[in-house]
Amino acid sequence: MNSYSQRRPVLRRRAALGALSLALGSAIVLSGCATTDQPAVDTVSLTMWTWSNEAREALEGGVLDVFEEANPGIKVEVLTQPDKDYQTLLTTGLAGSGGPDVAAIRSYGVISSFAESGNLTPLDEVITDWSGFSEVAMQGATARADGLVYAVPQGVQTAQVYYNKAIFQDLGLDVPTTWEEFLEVSDAIKDAGTAPMVIPGAAAAQIALAGEVIGNARRGGNEFTQAFVAGDASLTDSASVASIDLMAELQPYLIDNVTSVTLDEAVTIFATGMAAMFPSGTWQVSTFANLGADLDFGTFDMPVGSGWPSEAVTVAYADGGWALSSRSEHPEEAAILLNWLASPEYFQMYANVMSTIPPRDGVTIDNEYVAEMYERYLATGSTYLGAAYLRYGTPWGTDVYGEQVQKIWLGDQNAQGAAEAIQTGIEAWFDPADFAQ
């Protein structure tokens, strides 16, 4: 993946940015090394909001100590808000008083919605160095309406197939390298009395994620995505329909009553060896470690079949970022914090504590599982179309996808009908012109 560079014209600037940029010229030097003979300074307290307890624990577990030691006049408090209510609470907090100075924002359509509200400050000129950030990460942090960047990306998720090494070894199976081999491996596991695969079939978003792992290459990978966004391809095209049909082809290999399986149940089913494979995201590495289960697992990208329009890919999407409230009472200090949150030093600590793929280069990943995913992402990354483009209006394309696949598994739909329903759903709001660069 290429490093991000700013190529878009700046469409608008808030007046506050000029003063903020001037302040940064002198203030940003504070983010280097702290000296022992500094005069006493007044302390400014900044508040960060996030929906992730894991992120808060990582930041408070030593990561922010490094920042505060280098910037003795700034103290940072991290508050976790309930995930299920986060968007509502953040909307209220950013619009009035008592909200955060810096907030975690989900990517793509969510950040665009918050940017359009006027409650976030664009960061194009607040961050002094954007070099090294990947295109995937920056796309997720950029608002669709004005093309400006509204968050410092905090990670990239990849999605792939997790597999239980013990089950594979006991049955003498190798990781499949073609779709045909994948079906043969699945048959062997099923014949041995174990479910070949579990998918959280009760959760539309998780079905959509699994469908992307399984069908991204069958649809055509990034080439199809580019054509779709340009208005030259439709979700009802034959390649897209064929990718959905893979979910029907896999049904005999899924755990029984798959449409009732929640995400937590899917994790438990895989971790306890009741299913041999589980398509999911990078974050499961930490989940499995926190479970304390005796689980020896590996990962692979879904292999492709003969005649597919793409080689095997690593599905990737941006995983949120840190944004600056336009109502922050301390924008200069918040800008210093955000510049540090964009630095290789920060990501070297944070990415390894969180076991996440960094959104920028210059970071060494210690976790062997994440390091392997990172290498595949750099080599064969392919954008998750649903997350990147189908969540800017109602209904979300990923929700409709999940609902339609549920109907396929229940015998009430086929791939062609599902594709037509998804396309019809997004046509209520999707316009390729909105994404033109």
Short mmCIF file of all heavy atoms in Angstrom, two decimals, residues 373-432:
data_model
loop_
_atom_site.label_atom_id
_atom_site.label_comp_id
_atom_site.label_asym_id
_atom_site.label_seq_id
_atom_site.Cartn_x
_atom_site.Cartn_y
_atom_site.Cartn_z
N MET A 373 -0.73 -11.01 9.61
CA MET A 373 -1.84 -10.31 8.96
C MET A 373 -1.36 -9.01 8.33
O MET A 373 -1.80 -8.62 7.23
CB MET A 373 -2.94 -10.01 9.98
CG MET A 373 -3.60 -11.24 10.56
SD MET A 373 -4.75 -10.77 11.91
CE MET A 373 -5.18 -12.39 12.55
N TYR A 374 -0.47 -8.31 9.04
CA TYR A 374 0.06 -7.03 8.56
C TYR A 374 0.81 -7.23 7.24
O TYR A 374 0.64 -6.46 6.28
CB TYR A 374 0.98 -6.46 9.63
CG TYR A 374 1.47 -5.05 9.40
CD1 TYR A 374 0.75 -4.14 8.64
CD2 TYR A 374 2.66 -4.61 9.97
CE1 TYR A 374 1.19 -2.84 8.46
CE2 TYR A 374 3.11 -3.31 9.80
CZ TYR A 374 2.37 -2.43 9.04
OH TYR A 374 2.81 -1.15 8.86
N GLU A 375 1.62 -8.27 7.16
CA GLU A 375 2.37 -8.55 5.94
C GLU A 375 1.43 -8.85 4.78
O GLU A 375 1.63 -8.39 3.66
CB GLU A 375 3.34 -9.71 6.16
CG GLU A 375 4.52 -9.37 7.07
CD GLU A 375 5.35 -8.24 6.53
OE1 GLU A 375 5.66 -8.25 5.31
OE2 GLU A 375 5.69 -7.32 7.31
N ARG A 376 0.38 -9.62 5.04
CA ARG A 376 -0.57 -9.93 3.98
C ARG A 376 -1.32 -8.66 3.55
O ARG A 376 -1.60 -8.47 2.36
CB ARG A 376 -1.56 -11.00 4.45
CG ARG A 376 -0.94 -12.38 4.62
CD ARG A 376 -2.01 -13.48 4.58
NE ARG A 376 -3.04 -13.27 5.57
CZ ARG A 376 -3.17 -14.00 6.69
NH1 ARG A 376 -2.32 -14.99 6.94
NH2 ARG A 376 -4.15 -13.76 7.52
N TYR A 377 -1.67 -7.84 4.52
CA TYR A 377 -2.36 -6.59 4.22
C TYR A 377 -1.52 -5.70 3.31
O TYR A 377 -2.01 -5.13 2.32
CB TYR A 377 -2.70 -5.88 5.52
CG TYR A 377 -2.93 -4.38 5.43
CD1 TYR A 377 -4.07 -3.87 4.80
CD2 TYR A 377 -2.02 -3.48 5.99
CE1 TYR A 377 -4.28 -2.50 4.74
CE2 TYR A 377 -2.23 -2.12 5.93
CZ TYR A 377 -3.36 -1.63 5.30
OH TYR A 377 -3.56 -0.28 5.24
N LEU A 378 -0.24 -5.58 3.61
CA LEU A 378 0.64 -4.75 2.80
C LEU A 378 0.79 -5.30 1.39
O LEU A 378 0.94 -4.55 0.42
CB LEU A 378 2.02 -4.63 3.46
CG LEU A 378 2.07 -3.86 4.78
CD1 LEU A 378 3.47 -3.94 5.39
CD2 LEU A 378 1.66 -2.40 4.58
N ALA A 379 0.72 -6.63 1.27
CA ALA A 379 0.95 -7.27 -0.03
C ALA A 379 -0.31 -7.38 -0.88
O ALA A 379 -0.27 -7.17 -2.10
CB ALA A 379 1.56 -8.65 0.18
N THR A 380 -1.44 -7.69 -0.24
CA THR A 380 -2.64 -8.02 -1.02
C THR A 380 -3.91 -7.39 -0.44
O THR A 380 -4.99 -7.95 -0.56
CB THR A 380 -2.84 -9.54 -1.12
OG1 THR A 380 -3.02 -10.08 0.21
CG2 THR A 380 -1.65 -10.22 -1.77
N GLY A 381 -3.79 -6.23 0.19
CA GLY A 381 -4.95 -5.61 0.80
C GLY A 381 -6.03 -5.24 -0.20
O GLY A 381 -5.73 -4.74 -1.30
N SER A 382 -7.28 -5.50 0.15
CA SER A 382 -8.42 -5.16 -0.70
C SER A 382 -9.50 -4.54 0.18
O SER A 382 -9.88 -5.10 1.21
CB SER A 382 -8.97 -6.41 -1.40
OG SER A 382 -10.03 -6.09 -2.28
N THR A 383 -10.01 -3.39 -0.23
CA THR A 383 -10.94 -2.63 0.59
C THR A 383 -12.26 -3.36 0.79
O THR A 383 -12.83 -3.92 -0.15
CB THR A 383 -11.21 -1.26 -0.06
OG1 THR A 383 -9.99 -0.54 -0.17
CG2 THR A 383 -12.20 -0.45 0.76
N TYR A 384 -12.74 -3.35 2.02
CA TYR A 384 -14.05 -3.89 2.37
C TYR A 384 -15.09 -2.93 1.81
O TYR A 384 -15.35 -1.88 2.39
CB TYR A 384 -14.15 -4.03 3.88
CG TYR A 384 -15.46 -4.52 4.44
CD1 TYR A 384 -16.50 -4.96 3.63
CD2 TYR A 384 -15.65 -4.54 5.82
CE1 TYR A 384 -17.71 -5.40 4.17
CE2 TYR A 384 -16.86 -4.98 6.37
CZ TYR A 384 -17.88 -5.39 5.54
OH TYR A 384 -19.07 -5.82 6.06
N LEU A 385 -15.69 -3.27 0.70
CA LEU A 385 -16.60 -2.38 -0.01
C LEU A 385 -17.74 -1.93 0.88
O LEU A 385 -18.12 -0.76 0.90
CB LEU A 385 -17.11 -3.07 -1.27
CG LEU A 385 -17.99 -2.23 -2.22
CD1 LEU A 385 -17.83 -2.73 -3.64
CD2 LEU A 385 -19.46 -2.29 -1.83
N GLY A 386 -18.33 -2.86 1.63
CA GLY A 386 -19.48 -2.53 2.46
C GLY A 386 -19.17 -1.48 3.50
O GLY A 386 -19.95 -0.52 3.69
N ALA A 387 -18.05 -1.62 4.20
CA ALA A 387 -17.69 -0.65 5.24
C ALA A 387 -17.30 0.68 4.64
O ALA A 387 -17.65 1.75 5.17
CB ALA A 387 -16.55 -1.20 6.09
N ALA A 388 -16.57 0.65 3.53
CA ALA A 388 -16.01 1.87 2.97
C ALA A 388 -17.02 2.70 2.18
O ALA A 388 -16.87 3.93 2.10
CB ALA A 388 -14.82 1.52 2.07
N TYR A 389 -18.05 2.07 1.61
CA TYR A 389 -18.93 2.82 0.71
C TYR A 389 -20.43 2.63 0.95
O TYR A 389 -21.23 3.42 0.44
CB TYR A 389 -18.62 2.44 -0.74
CG TYR A 389 -17.24 2.85 -1.17
CD1 TYR A 389 -16.22 1.91 -1.29
CD2 TYR A 389 -16.95 4.19 -1.43
CE1 TYR A 389 -14.95 2.29 -1.67
CE2 TYR A 389 -15.67 4.58 -1.82
CZ TYR A 389 -14.68 3.62 -1.94
OH TYR A 389 -13.42 4.01 -2.31
N LEU A 390 -20.83 1.62 1.69
CA LEU A 390 -22.25 1.32 1.78
C LEU A 390 -22.87 1.69 3.12
O LEU A 390 -23.95 1.20 3.47
CB LEU A 390 -22.49 -0.18 1.50
CG LEU A 390 -21.97 -0.70 0.16
CD1 LEU A 390 -22.39 -2.15 -0.03
CD2 LEU A 390 -22.44 0.17 -1.00
N ARG A 391 -22.21 2.60 3.87
CA ARG A 391 -22.74 3.00 5.17
C ARG A 391 -22.89 4.52 5.29
O ARG A 391 -22.78 5.08 6.37
CB ARG A 391 -21.83 2.48 6.29
CG ARG A 391 -21.84 0.96 6.43
CD ARG A 391 -20.87 0.50 7.50
NE ARG A 391 -20.97 -0.95 7.71
CZ ARG A 391 -20.14 -1.65 8.49
NH1 ARG A 391 -19.15 -1.02 9.14
NH2 ARG A 391 -20.28 -2.94 8.63
N TYR A 392 -23.15 5.17 4.17
CA TYR A 392 -23.30 6.62 4.19
C TYR A 392 -24.76 7.06 4.20
O TYR A 392 -25.05 8.26 4.20
CB TYR A 392 -22.59 7.24 2.98
CG TYR A 392 -21.08 7.27 3.13
CD1 TYR A 392 -20.31 6.17 2.78
CD2 TYR A 392 -20.43 8.40 3.63
CE1 TYR A 392 -18.94 6.19 2.91
CE2 TYR A 392 -19.06 8.43 3.76
CZ TYR A 392 -18.31 7.32 3.40
OH TYR A 392 -16.94 7.33 3.55
N GLY A 393 -25.68 6.11 4.17
CA GLY A 393 -27.09 6.45 4.20
C GLY A 393 -27.89 5.29 4.77
O GLY A 393 -27.34 4.25 5.12
N THR A 394 -29.19 5.47 4.86
CA THR A 394 -30.07 4.45 5.41
C THR A 394 -30.93 3.87 4.29
O THR A 394 -31.53 4.62 3.51
CB THR A 394 -30.97 5.06 6.49
OG1 THR A 394 -30.14 5.67 7.51
CG2 THR A 394 -31.84 4.01 7.13
N PRO A 395 -30.99 2.53 4.20
CA PRO A 395 -30.35 1.54 5.08
C PRO A 395 -28.89 1.30 4.71
O PRO A 395 -28.50 1.49 3.56
CB PRO A 395 -31.18 0.27 4.81
CG PRO A 395 -31.56 0.41 3.35
CD PRO A 395 -31.82 1.87 3.15
N TRP A 396 -28.10 0.90 5.68
CA TRP A 396 -26.73 0.49 5.40
C TRP A 396 -26.76 -0.74 4.49
O TRP A 396 -27.52 -1.69 4.71
CB TRP A 396 -26.00 0.12 6.69
CG TRP A 396 -25.47 1.29 7.45
CD1 TRP A 396 -25.70 2.61 7.22
CD2 TRP A 396 -24.60 1.22 8.59
NE1 TRP A 396 -25.04 3.38 8.14
CE2 TRP A 396 -24.34 2.55 8.99
CE3 TRP A 396 -24.01 0.17 9.28
CZ2 TRP A 396 -23.53 2.86 10.07
CZ3 TRP A 396 -23.20 0.47 10.38
CH2 TRP A 396 -22.95 1.80 10.76
N GLY A 397 -25.88 -0.72 3.48
CA GLY A 397 -25.79 -1.86 2.60
C GLY A 397 -25.37 -3.13 3.30
O GLY A 397 -25.81 -4.23 2.95
N THR A 398 -24.52 -2.99 4.32
CA THR A 398 -24.07 -4.18 5.05
C THR A 398 -25.21 -4.80 5.85
O THR A 398 -25.27 -6.03 6.00
CB THR A 398 -22.91 -3.82 5.99
OG1 THR A 398 -23.24 -2.64 6.74
CG2 THR A 398 -21.64 -3.55 5.19
N ASP A 399 -26.11 -3.96 6.37
CA ASP A 399 -27.26 -4.50 7.09
C ASP A 399 -28.18 -5.28 6.15
O ASP A 399 -28.66 -6.37 6.48
CB ASP A 399 -28.05 -3.38 7.77
CG ASP A 399 -27.35 -2.82 8.99
OD1 ASP A 399 -26.40 -3.47 9.48
OD2 ASP A 399 -27.74 -1.73 9.46
N VAL A 400 -28.43 -4.70 4.97
CA VAL A 400 -29.30 -5.39 4.01
C VAL A 400 -28.64 -6.68 3.55
O VAL A 400 -29.31 -7.72 3.42
CB VAL A 400 -29.62 -4.47 2.81
CG1 VAL A 400 -30.55 -5.18 1.84
CG2 VAL A 400 -30.25 -3.17 3.28
N TYR A 401 -27.33 -6.64 3.33
CA TYR A 401 -26.61 -7.86 2.94
C TYR A 401 -26.82 -8.95 3.98
O TYR A 401 -27.17 -10.09 3.65
CB TYR A 401 -25.12 -7.56 2.78
CG TYR A 401 -24.29 -8.77 2.40
CD1 TYR A 401 -23.92 -8.98 1.07
CD2 TYR A 401 -23.89 -9.71 3.35
CE1 TYR A 401 -23.17 -10.09 0.71
CE2 TYR A 401 -23.15 -10.82 2.99
CZ TYR A 401 -22.78 -11.01 1.68
OH TYR A 401 -22.05 -12.13 1.33
N GLY A 402 -26.58 -8.62 5.25
CA GLY A 402 -26.72 -9.62 6.30
C GLY A 402 -28.12 -10.19 6.38
O GLY A 402 -28.32 -11.40 6.54
N GLU A 403 -29.12 -9.30 6.26
CA GLU A 403 -30.51 -9.75 6.32
C GLU A 403 -30.85 -10.67 5.15
O GLU A 403 -31.58 -11.66 5.31
CB GLU A 403 -31.43 -8.53 6.34
CG GLU A 403 -31.32 -7.70 7.62
CD GLU A 403 -31.86 -6.30 7.45
OE1 GLU A 403 -32.35 -5.99 6.33
OE2 GLU A 403 -31.78 -5.50 8.41
N GLN A 404 -30.33 -10.35 3.98
CA GLN A 404 -30.63 -11.17 2.80
C GLN A 404 -29.95 -12.53 2.87
O GLN A 404 -30.53 -13.55 2.47
CB GLN A 404 -30.20 -10.42 1.54
CG GLN A 404 -31.05 -9.20 1.22
CD GLN A 404 -32.51 -9.55 0.99
OE1 GLN A 404 -32.83 -10.44 0.21
NE2 GLN A 404 -33.40 -8.84 1.67
N VAL A 405 -28.74 -12.58 3.39
CA VAL A 405 -28.06 -13.87 3.53
C VAL A 405 -28.77 -14.73 4.58
O VAL A 405 -28.88 -15.96 4.42
CB VAL A 405 -26.57 -13.68 3.88
CG1 VAL A 405 -25.91 -15.01 4.26
CG2 VAL A 405 -25.84 -13.05 2.69
N GLN A 406 -29.25 -14.11 5.63
CA GLN A 406 -30.07 -14.86 6.60
C GLN A 406 -31.24 -15.53 5.89
O GLN A 406 -31.57 -16.71 6.13
CB GLN A 406 -30.58 -13.94 7.69
CG GLN A 406 -29.54 -13.53 8.72
CD GLN A 406 -30.08 -12.50 9.70
OE1 GLN A 406 -30.98 -11.72 9.38
NE2 GLN A 406 -29.53 -12.48 10.91
N LYS A 407 -31.90 -14.80 5.00
CA LYS A 407 -33.03 -15.36 4.25
C LYS A 407 -32.58 -16.51 3.34
O LYS A 407 -33.30 -17.50 3.17
CB LYS A 407 -33.71 -14.27 3.43
CG LYS A 407 -34.45 -13.22 4.26
CD LYS A 407 -35.12 -12.18 3.39
CE LYS A 407 -35.88 -11.17 4.23
NZ LYS A 407 -36.56 -10.14 3.38
N ILE A 408 -31.39 -16.38 2.76
CA ILE A 408 -30.85 -17.47 1.94
C ILE A 408 -30.69 -18.72 2.79
O ILE A 408 -31.10 -19.82 2.40
CB ILE A 408 -29.51 -17.06 1.31
CG1 ILE A 408 -29.73 -16.01 0.22
CG2 ILE A 408 -28.78 -18.29 0.73
CD1 ILE A 408 -28.45 -15.45 -0.37
N TRP A 409 -30.13 -18.57 3.97
CA TRP A 409 -29.89 -19.72 4.84
C TRP A 409 -31.21 -20.33 5.35
O TRP A 409 -31.26 -21.51 5.65
CB TRP A 409 -29.01 -19.32 6.01
CG TRP A 409 -27.58 -19.05 5.61
CD1 TRP A 409 -26.94 -19.53 4.52
CD2 TRP A 409 -26.64 -18.24 6.32
NE1 TRP A 409 -25.63 -19.07 4.47
CE2 TRP A 409 -25.43 -18.28 5.58
CE3 TRP A 409 -26.68 -17.49 7.49
CZ2 TRP A 409 -24.27 -17.61 5.98
CZ3 TRP A 409 -25.55 -16.81 7.89
CH2 TRP A 409 -24.35 -16.87 7.16
N LEU A 410 -32.23 -19.50 5.43
CA LEU A 410 -33.54 -19.99 5.87
C LEU A 410 -34.38 -20.52 4.72
O LEU A 410 -35.52 -20.96 4.91
CB LEU A 410 -34.29 -18.88 6.60
CG LEU A 410 -33.69 -18.44 7.94
CD1 LEU A 410 -34.39 -17.18 8.45
CD2 LEU A 410 -33.77 -19.56 8.98
N GLY A 411 -33.85 -20.46 3.50
CA GLY A 411 -34.54 -20.97 2.33
C GLY A 411 -35.56 -20.02 1.73
O GLY A 411 -36.38 -20.43 0.91
N ASP A 412 -35.48 -18.74 2.08
CA ASP A 412 -36.47 -17.77 1.62
C ASP A 412 -35.93 -16.81 0.56
O ASP A 412 -36.62 -15.86 0.18
CB ASP A 412 -37.00 -16.96 2.80
CG ASP A 412 -37.69 -17.82 3.84
OD1 ASP A 412 -38.31 -18.82 3.44
OD2 ASP A 412 -37.59 -17.49 5.04
N GLN A 413 -34.70 -17.02 0.10
CA GLN A 413 -34.11 -16.10 -0.87
C GLN A 413 -33.03 -16.83 -1.65
O GLN A 413 -32.54 -17.89 -1.24
CB GLN A 413 -33.52 -14.89 -0.12
CG GLN A 413 -32.93 -13.77 -0.98
CD GLN A 413 -33.91 -13.15 -1.93
OE1 GLN A 413 -34.27 -13.78 -2.94
NE2 GLN A 413 -34.35 -11.92 -1.62
N ASN A 414 -32.65 -16.27 -2.80
CA ASN A 414 -31.50 -16.78 -3.55
C ASN A 414 -30.52 -15.63 -3.79
O ASN A 414 -30.82 -14.47 -3.46
CB ASN A 414 -31.93 -17.44 -4.86
CG ASN A 414 -32.71 -16.48 -5.77
OD1 ASN A 414 -32.45 -15.27 -5.80
ND2 ASN A 414 -33.66 -17.02 -6.52
N ALA A 415 -29.37 -15.93 -4.36
CA ALA A 415 -28.31 -14.93 -4.50
C ALA A 415 -28.74 -13.78 -5.40
O ALA A 415 -28.45 -12.61 -5.12
CB ALA A 415 -27.04 -15.58 -5.02
N GLN A 416 -29.43 -14.09 -6.50
CA GLN A 416 -29.87 -13.03 -7.41
C GLN A 416 -30.84 -12.09 -6.71
O GLN A 416 -30.71 -10.86 -6.79
CB GLN A 416 -30.54 -13.64 -8.63
CG GLN A 416 -31.01 -12.62 -9.67
CD GLN A 416 -29.87 -11.87 -10.33
OE1 GLN A 416 -28.87 -12.47 -10.71
NE2 GLN A 416 -29.98 -10.55 -10.44
N GLY A 417 -31.82 -12.65 -6.01
CA GLY A 417 -32.78 -11.82 -5.29
C GLY A 417 -32.12 -11.00 -4.20
O GLY A 417 -32.48 -9.84 -3.97
N ALA A 418 -31.13 -11.59 -3.52
CA ALA A 418 -30.41 -10.87 -2.47
C ALA A 418 -29.66 -9.69 -3.05
O ALA A 418 -29.68 -8.58 -2.51
CB ALA A 418 -29.45 -11.81 -1.74
N ALA A 419 -28.97 -9.91 -4.18
CA ALA A 419 -28.21 -8.83 -4.82
C ALA A 419 -29.13 -7.69 -5.22
O ALA A 419 -28.81 -6.51 -5.05
CB ALA A 419 -27.45 -9.37 -6.02
N GLU A 420 -30.30 -8.03 -5.76
CA GLU A 420 -31.24 -7.00 -6.17
C GLU A 420 -31.76 -6.22 -4.96
O GLU A 420 -31.93 -4.99 -5.03
CB GLU A 420 -32.40 -7.65 -6.93
CG GLU A 420 -31.99 -8.22 -8.28
CD GLU A 420 -33.08 -9.04 -8.95
OE1 GLU A 420 -34.17 -9.16 -8.33
OE2 GLU A 420 -32.86 -9.54 -10.07
N ALA A 421 -31.98 -6.90 -3.86
CA ALA A 421 -32.47 -6.22 -2.65
C ALA A 421 -31.41 -5.28 -2.08
O ALA A 421 -31.74 -4.17 -1.64
CB ALA A 421 -32.87 -7.25 -1.60
N ILE A 422 -30.16 -5.69 -2.09
CA ILE A 422 -29.09 -4.84 -1.58
C ILE A 422 -28.93 -3.61 -2.46
O ILE A 422 -28.82 -2.47 -1.97
CB ILE A 422 -27.76 -5.61 -1.49
CG1 ILE A 422 -27.91 -6.83 -0.58
CG2 ILE A 422 -26.65 -4.71 -0.96
CD1 ILE A 422 -26.79 -7.84 -0.71
N GLN A 423 -28.91 -3.81 -3.78
CA GLN A 423 -28.77 -2.70 -4.71
C GLN A 423 -29.93 -1.72 -4.57
O GLN A 423 -29.74 -0.51 -4.52
CB GLN A 423 -28.69 -3.22 -6.14
CG GLN A 423 -28.48 -2.13 -7.20
CD GLN A 423 -27.13 -1.45 -7.08
OE1 GLN A 423 -26.12 -2.08 -6.80
NE2 GLN A 423 -27.10 -0.14 -7.30
N THR A 424 -31.14 -2.25 -4.47
CA THR A 424 -32.31 -1.39 -4.30
C THR A 424 -32.23 -0.61 -2.99
O THR A 424 -32.58 0.58 -2.94
CB THR A 424 -33.61 -2.23 -4.32
OG1 THR A 424 -33.72 -2.90 -5.58
CG2 THR A 424 -34.83 -1.36 -4.09
N GLY A 425 -31.77 -1.25 -1.93
CA GLY A 425 -31.66 -0.59 -0.64
C GLY A 425 -30.74 0.61 -0.67
O GLY A 425 -31.07 1.68 -0.14
N ILE A 426 -29.58 0.47 -1.30
CA ILE A 426 -28.62 1.59 -1.30
C ILE A 426 -28.97 2.65 -2.32
O ILE A 426 -28.51 3.79 -2.20
CB ILE A 426 -27.18 1.09 -1.51
CG1 ILE A 426 -27.01 0.52 -2.92
CG2 ILE A 426 -26.77 0.10 -0.45
CD1 ILE A 426 -25.56 0.32 -3.32
N GLU A 427 -29.77 2.32 -3.32
CA GLU A 427 -30.11 3.31 -4.34
C GLU A 427 -30.94 4.45 -3.75
O GLU A 427 -31.06 5.51 -4.37
CB GLU A 427 -30.86 2.65 -5.50
CG GLU A 427 -29.92 1.91 -6.44
CD GLU A 427 -30.65 1.21 -7.57
OE1 GLU A 427 -31.90 1.21 -7.56
OE2 GLU A 427 -29.96 0.66 -8.46
N ALA A 428 -31.48 4.25 -2.55
CA ALA A 428 -32.21 5.33 -1.88
C ALA A 428 -31.30 6.50 -1.56
O ALA A 428 -31.78 7.63 -1.37
CB ALA A 428 -32.86 4.79 -0.61
N TRP A 429 -29.98 6.24 -1.49
CA TRP A 429 -29.07 7.33 -1.10
C TRP A 429 -27.73 7.30 -1.84
O TRP A 429 -27.03 8.31 -1.89
CB TRP A 429 -28.81 7.29 0.40
CG TRP A 429 -28.25 5.96 0.88
CD1 TRP A 429 -28.97 4.92 1.39
CD2 TRP A 429 -26.89 5.53 0.85
NE1 TRP A 429 -28.14 3.86 1.70
CE2 TRP A 429 -26.85 4.22 1.38
CE3 TRP A 429 -25.70 6.13 0.47
CZ2 TRP A 429 -25.67 3.49 1.52
CZ3 TRP A 429 -24.52 5.41 0.58
CH2 TRP A 429 -24.50 4.11 1.11
N PHE A 430 -27.32 6.16 -2.41
CA PHE A 430 -25.98 6.04 -2.99
C PHE A 430 -25.91 6.74 -4.34
O PHE A 430 -26.73 6.49 -5.23
CB PHE A 430 -25.61 4.57 -3.15
CG PHE A 430 -24.23 4.37 -3.75
CD1 PHE A 430 -23.10 4.43 -2.95
CD2 PHE A 430 -24.08 4.15 -5.11
CE1 PHE A 430 -21.83 4.26 -3.50
CE2 PHE A 430 -22.82 3.98 -5.66
CZ PHE A 430 -21.69 4.04 -4.87
N ASP A 431 -24.91 7.58 -4.51
CA ASP A 431 -24.64 8.26 -5.78
C ASP A 431 -23.14 8.26 -6.01
O ASP A 431 -22.39 8.85 -5.23
CB ASP A 431 -25.16 9.70 -5.74
CG ASP A 431 -24.99 10.43 -7.08
OD1 ASP A 431 -24.33 9.86 -7.98
OD2 ASP A 431 -25.49 11.55 -7.20
N PRO A 432 -22.66 7.58 -7.06
CA PRO A 432 -21.21 7.54 -7.29
C PRO A 432 -20.56 8.92 -7.35
O PRO A 432 -19.40 9.08 -6.98
CB PRO A 432 -21.11 6.83 -8.65
CG PRO A 432 -22.35 5.99 -8.73
CD PRO A 432 -23.41 6.79 -8.06
#
